[in-house]
Amino acid sequence: MPPVNPQILGKLEHSQNVLETPPSGHPTPAKLPSRNPTRSFWIDSSPDVNPLAGQGSQDPLPSEADICIIGAGFTGVGVAYHLIELLNNASLSIKHSLSIVILEARDFCSGATGRNGEHLTPAAFTRFAQRRASFDTVEAIKSYELEQHTTSLLVKIIEENGWASDVDLVEGGHISLLFTEKEAKNAHNDFDMARQAQLNLDGVEWLSKEELEKEYGVPYPGFRRPGYNVWPLKLVTKLYQHAQAHARQYASLSLHTRTPVTAVTHETTSTYTVVTNRGSISCSRIVHATNGYASHLLPFLTSPDGIIPARGQVMTTRASVGTDQIKISSWSGNKGFAYWFPRPVTRDTEKPLIIIGGGQEAAAPSRELYVDDDSETHPLVGKALREFLPSIFEGKYDPHSEPEMEWTGITGYTKTGDPFVRPSNSCNYCWLMYPSPGWCRSRLTRSESR
Ligand SMILES: Cc1cc2nc3c(=O)[nH]c(=O)nc-3n(C[C@H](O)[C@H](O)[C@H](O)COP(=O)(O)OP(=O)(O)OC[C@H]3O[C@@H](n4cnc5c(N)ncnc54)[C@H](O)[C@@H]3O)c2cc1C
């Protein structure tokens, strides 16, 4: 089959308008996470993969805690992990051990972290011109450095603890394909601007159409940047287990899954009550790590100026040929709106399983923005994803084969694309999106400096 133009996706400028325009004109707060989410490869492909799935769901809730973290994804568990590391490493004179409780509406790590595309790839320089125009050069550089810092820190944690094979860490770099001359021109422009601004571009390599055709059988130019792939649920499980085992005398950590928080009320200047379907906890500090669902408990974050829920879709599909013909690398195309990764296999002739996600643009006009329900997939997004790989890798994917699994997940966007991390006025309350305390530090510094 001759390659067809895969330009079905990737219309960022149109997405921006939709992002700022709620479908009904009146956005409503997000609902609680759906009770019957679609089944994802990361969570549901084997019965043993989520040992913490129902952890603490039957245990009585404590009546009090120092810190309540709402949400057991990368962000919530990352906060607990770093807090405990901090307590262990700092010479603090703490009068009593800090009690940290994580509350999760569904199974452990069943939000976006358990349903994503598994790419651990910092942006490197992509969209530099846009970020510089939106902020300024210094802030644009900070945002790239933060992504690099987050990636390096996670990889360091994985390697120092000897978890690489447990969490399926693959270091293979990430190739972005450039389908049109305009895309190629913009990418070179971003790169040149970033280089002038002295951003670290180590490991970025331009690849000609001929090189990519020869090596991978795909007739488009592109560039490679440093990047990894990882099984997100397995990594977050390790982070939780490590944090709990290292809590020692300074802290205690517990997890209560299948415990949706339905309200947070402010009792005194220093006490909040976290209300759940199984009882209430009185807390002095609260971390909202609820991603696209944030506005359920914090209605003032109802979009478009707050946190906009958006549904992403991913599927697993089997290649028609072995890894002798499909080399392992992680990929994206159409400005990052389709991303895929052939999972490594043990034999050259074995046909790799491809995780492919993206394609929201096919769901016009909403583009899956303002959607907070991951119990369904979108048929048009599914169609776009099914057609994508057969259209660009001639003969390597069967256009008629059906995915082995297909699922959705909800993530939260802001209209500027900025992460959203803020304390409340009293500083007892933190809203977090994006999986790194590094983001938190940066955003606090940034907003405080204004
Ligand atoms: C389809 C898809 C593909 C993606 N692909 C990638 C990728 O390849 N690479 C990448 O870096 N990022 C990717 N992302 C983004 C990435 O997954 C998220 O940025 C990251 O997982 C966010 O982690 P989190 O902990 O903030 O949110 P989540 O993992 O969503 O965790 C939030 C948790 O809060 C819980 N919760 C919500 N409300 C309540 C409540 N009221 N009470 C109790 N619990 C509650 C939810 O159930 C959920 O478990 C993708 C996202 C999606 C949806």
Side-chain angles (χ1 to χ4, degrees):
M1 187 179 65
V4 296
N5 185 352
Q7 242 347 59
I8 43 176
L9 314 171
K11 304 243 186 305
L12 179 69
E13 54 280 9
H14 297 216
S15 290
Q16 189 62 30
N17 293 338
V18 185
L19 192 63
E20 296 186 31
T21 316
S24 62
H26 299 288
T28 46
K31 296 188 285 298
L32 277 172
S34 140
R35 287 189 185 182
N36 54 339
T38 44
R39 288 163 63 78
S40 107
F41 173 80
W42 311 116
I43 305 174
D44 300 300
S45 59
S46 110
D48 311 324
V49 78
N50 195 356
L52 301 172
Q55 175 104 353
S57 56
Q58 306 289 323
D59 301 344
L61 295 182
S63 56
E64 290 181 354
D66 291 300
I67 302 171
C68 284
I69 299 172
I70 311 173
F74 236 133
T75 305
V77 173
V79 168
Y81 173 91
H82 284 289
L83 265 175
I84 286 171
E85 287 290 291
L86 195 68
L87 289 168
N88 284 339
N89 294 332
S91 28
L92 302 171
S93 55
I94 292 177
K95 292 196 189 96
H96 73 281
S97 146
L98 277 185
S99 53
I100 306 170
V101 176
I102 303 181
L103 298 160
E104 166 56 50
R106 307 192 293 205
D107 285 2
F108 179 73
C109 200
S110 57
T113 311
R115 329 185 133 259
N116 64 25
E118 74 161 324
H119 297 267
L120 180 54
T121 303
F125 66 89
T126 54
R127 305 207 181 117
F128 189 86
Q130 192 193 348
R131 288 197 198 177
R132 199 179 76 162
S134 301
F135 307 111
D136 56 37
T137 307
V138 172
E139 287 295 330
I141 288 179
K142 264 198 205 171
S143 72
Y144 290 94
E145 288 177 345
L146 210 45
E147 288 193 31
Q148 275 164 6
H149 168 79
T150 305
T151 306
S152 317
L153 183 63
L154 274 172
V155 172
K156 184 166 170 257
I157 292 171
I158 293 170
E159 286 175 346
E160 279 181 359
N161 287 293
W163 296 341
S165 68
D166 296 326
V167 303
D168 285 17
L169 181 72
V170 179
E171 178 182 7
H174 184 98
I175 299 174
S176 296
L177 292 175
L178 300 165
F179 290 118
T180 62
E181 276 181 25
K182 188 175 166 208
E183 267 186 51
K185 196 170 152 226
N186 287 344
H188 281 280
N189 185 35
D190 282 332
F191 181 83
D192 292 343
M193 268 192 186
R195 191 171 47 190
Q196 270 171 22
Q198 300 188 334
L199 187 65
N200 177 4
L201 295 167
D202 288 354
V204 176
E205 187 189 354
W206 292 95
L207 301 163
S208 67
K209 174 180 165 209
E210 291 70 32
E211 283 170 312
L212 279 167
E213 188 145 31
K214 186 164 170 240
E215 183 79 5
Y216 297 99
V218 63
Y220 298 97
F223 61 91
R224 194 195 320 262
R225 61 188 138 138
Y228 302 80
N229 287 72
V230 68
W231 191 305
L233 167 62
K234 290 184 179 175
L235 175 54
V236 176
T237 302
K238 284 280 179 198
L239 289 174
Y240 178 81
Q241 289 169 335
H242 184 279
Q244 201 185 37
H246 289 78
R248 303 203 187 108
Q249 73 268 35
Y250 298 118
S252 65
L253 174 63
S254 63
L255 166 67
H256 295 275
T257 61
R258 302 173 190 166
T259 307
V261 175
T262 50
V264 174
T265 57
H266 200 167
E267 300 306 321
T268 66
T269 47
S270 58
T271 319
Y272 298 86
T273 299
V274 173
V275 182
T276 83
N277 59 347
R278 303 201 298 115
S280 298
I281 308 178
S282 174
C283 298
S284 47
R285 282 175 166 71
I286 296 176
V287 178
H288 288 255
T290 48
N291 200 0
Y293 304 101
S295 61
H296 185 79
L297 296 173
L298 302 168
F300 58 89
L301 288 182
T302 301
S303 37
D305 290 324
I307 293 176
I308 302 162
R311 186 163 69 184
Q313 192 157 324
V314 183
M315 62 172 65
T316 54
T317 184
R318 193 66 68 176
S320 308
V321 294
T323 37
D324 50 335
Q325 294 184 60
I326 293 189
K327 303 210 171 90
I328 299 304
S329 168
S330 94
W331 298 83
S332 55
N334 281 327
K335 301 176 187 167
F337 280 97
Y339 45 89
W340 64 100
F341 181 63
R343 294 190 57 71
V345 290
T346 42
R347 283 179 295 120
D348 255 9
T349 49
E350 216 172 308
K351 293 173 183 164
L353 188 69
I354 320 290
I355 310 284
I356 175 164
Q360 288 95 314
E361 296 80 357
S366 79
R367 291 161 203 266
E368 298 287 74
L369 295 164
Y370 296 90
V371 179
D372 59 17
D373 177 5
D374 60 6
S375 68
E376 297 179 335
T377 56
H378 193 297
L380 294 178
V381 176
K383 182 171 180 292
L385 290 176
R386 281 166 178 74
E387 288 173 354
F388 188 78
L389 292 175
S391 77
I392 61 168
F393 289 94
E394 197 182 344
K396 296 190 174 170
Y397 297 91
D398 175 0
H400 306 295
S401 87
E402 274 300 298
E404 295 185 8
M405 292 183 84
E406 187 171 16
W407 64 92
T408 48
I410 308 301
T411 195
Y413 289 164
T414 52
K415 69 178 183 187
T416 56
D418 246 1
F420 204 118
V421 181
R422 277 194 60 181
S424 75
N425 293 340
S426 60
C427 269
N428 287 347
Y429 214 51
C430 193
W431 324 319
L432 283 169
M433 284 177 59
Y434 289 82
S436 162
W439 282 113
C440 188
R441 208 170 306 120
S442 153
R443 292 297 295 157
L444 296 184
T445 313
R446 184 165 150 184
S447 48
E448 277 158 7
S449 67
R450 287 198 169 159

